[in-house]
Amino acid sequence: MSCTADKAANIAKALEKTREAAQKGAQIVCLQELFASLYFCDVEAYENFKLAEAIPGPTTEQFQKLAQELGIVVIASLFEKRTQGLYHNTAAVIDADGSYLGKYRKMHIPDDPGYYEKFYFTPGDLGYKVFHTKFGKLGVLICWDQWYPEAARITALMGAEVLFYPTAIGWATRQTEEVNQDQYSAWQVIQRSHAIANGVPVVSVNRVGQEGDMLFWGGSFVTNAYGKVLYQASHDREEVHVQTIDLEQSDYYRTHWPFLRDRRIDSYDVITQRLID
């Protein structure tokens, strides 16, 4: 989905496209990171804090009504105002009966050219989360969390049957095509590796369109529990796609390639201790 500076219009579009997905048979709908606005973190501007809202709040209430009407689960990524002067990059999860199940606050916060998120967001304080919905146990992480195997592993060990990554990532318009393709490839490969290492499907949902000097690369994709890409969206068009995922495959892949079962817990302790030392 592409976005504009009109927050109300973005939310209306997201509601419309969620309805479209449900009409196509979707049971779980995942929206991209910060879908209610342009990706404002490309600059450090105090005015942008006005985009934040409470969670649960007015936007989640709209999606709760829609989820209840359509009987679907919704993952909605929003700019959360926790209290005065304290903000998070947050994903709310709504069950198929319209109930608000809770939220995940982004743990890893980037601070790169064009991605000045540490200016806006406090790192998440809720830990990793698994949401028990009508259609499965969902692990929800957000964008920059994609690059960290620990986030995927911990969430999988907590019982997640699918990992979802609402995302906003793109190419700087001054980059070469070779660099662009290398970056996209690395982004997809690291997430496919989470599927393989943990034996869970991965769903990564990105935005499209040019905003300032950033061309968001779309390319949203879904893998099975063995990292096979089942679907990949285009880089330059809005798309609503429904992908069937077989949750039973996790047992097969984890049994035949037991990366999850054969992990050495003691080695994790050693690594943690070294970091503390």
Side-chain angles (χ1 to χ4, degrees):
M1 178 176 140
S2 62
C3 295
T4 70
D6 187 333
K7 182 176 179 179
N10 294 326
I11 293 171
K13 180 195 281 190
L15 289 164
E16 177 186 349
K17 289 185 177 293
T18 298
R19 183 179 294 277
E20 180 183 342
Q23 290 170 345
K24 292 182 175 182
Q27 294 175 316
I28 303 168
V29 175
C30 182
L31 299 163
Q32 69 203 34
E33 183 183 19
L34 302 172
F35 68 88
S37 67
L38 295 171
Y39 181 75
F40 53 86
C41 307
D42 58 339
V43 295
E44 295 182 350
Y46 294 107
E47 185 74 12
N48 287 333
F49 285 102
K50 294 179 181 178
L51 294 168
E53 61 182 271
I55 299 176
T59 301
T60 53
E61 287 173 4
Q62 291 185 71
F63 280 94
Q64 283 180 261
K65 292 178 182 177
L66 188 65
Q68 183 180 33
E69 175 194 342
L70 301 174
I72 60 171
V73 173
V74 176
I75 300 168
S77 171
L78 296 162
F79 185 13
E80 179 189 10
K81 183 174 183 178
R82 177 176 170 185
T83 188
Q84 300 296 333
L86 191 59
Y87 300 82
H88 295 281
N89 188 332
T90 300
V93 180
I94 299 161
D95 209 350
D97 62 357
S99 60
Y100 169 76
L101 293 182
K103 58 193 169 189
Y104 166 73
R105 290 171 172 156
K106 187 174 180 177
M107 299 277 277
H108 299 93
I109 311 296
D111 187 31
D112 285 335
Y115 298 93
Y116 302 113
E117 295 198 11
K118 287 185 177 177
F119 180 78
Y120 297 98
F121 307 129
T122 296
D125 63 331
L126 301 176
Y128 299 113
K129 306 279 285 186
V130 175
F131 299 91
H132 293 237
T133 76
K134 179 179 179 179
F135 300 116
K137 300 173 186 177
L138 312 184
V140 179
L141 299 160
I142 302 174
C143 199
W144 199 243
D145 293 327
Q146 290 157 340
W147 301 97
Y148 296 86
E150 304 90 342
R153 172 53 55 90
I154 292 169
T155 307
L157 288 174
M158 291 173 66
E161 295 176 313
V162 187
L163 297 180
F164 285 87
Y165 291 94
T167 301
I169 190 169
W171 297 305
T173 53
R174 62 183 178 276
Q175 291 179 169
T176 65
E177 183 61 22
E178 182 180 6
V179 171
N180 288 346
Q181 292 307 313
D182 285 349
Q183 289 182 343
Y184 178 81
S185 176
W187 175 76
Q188 188 182 90
V189 167
I190 191 67
Q191 292 177 87
R192 291 177 66 189
S193 74
H194 299 331
I196 297 166
N198 297 292
V200 292
V202 168
V203 181
S204 187
V205 181
N206 192 24
R207 68 172 61 200
V208 294
Q210 185 166 344
E211 300 178 20
D213 293 329
M214 188 66 63
L215 181 63
F216 288 93
W217 66 44
S220 302
F221 67 95
V222 181
T223 78
N224 68 3
Y226 202 47
K228 178 181 178 180
V229 177
L230 303 176
Y231 170 78
Q232 179 180 311
S234 68
H235 290 300
D236 57 0
R237 297 189 309 277
E238 293 186 325
E239 296 183 27
V240 176
H241 176 76
V242 178
Q243 180 64 49
T244 299
I245 296 175
D246 183 359
L247 298 182
E248 298 300 321
Q249 286 186 341
S250 290
D251 187 64
Y252 175 83
Y253 289 124
R254 286 177 174 179
T255 300
H256 286 73
W257 285 46
F259 305 125
L260 198 66
R261 187 180 71 233
D262 290 348
R263 68 192 188 283
R264 289 288 302 274
I265 296 296
D266 56 336
S267 68
Y268 295 174
D269 293 339
V270 170
I271 293 170
T272 304
Q273 189 59 48
R274 285 176 179 171
L275 289 173
I276 293 172
D277 291 344

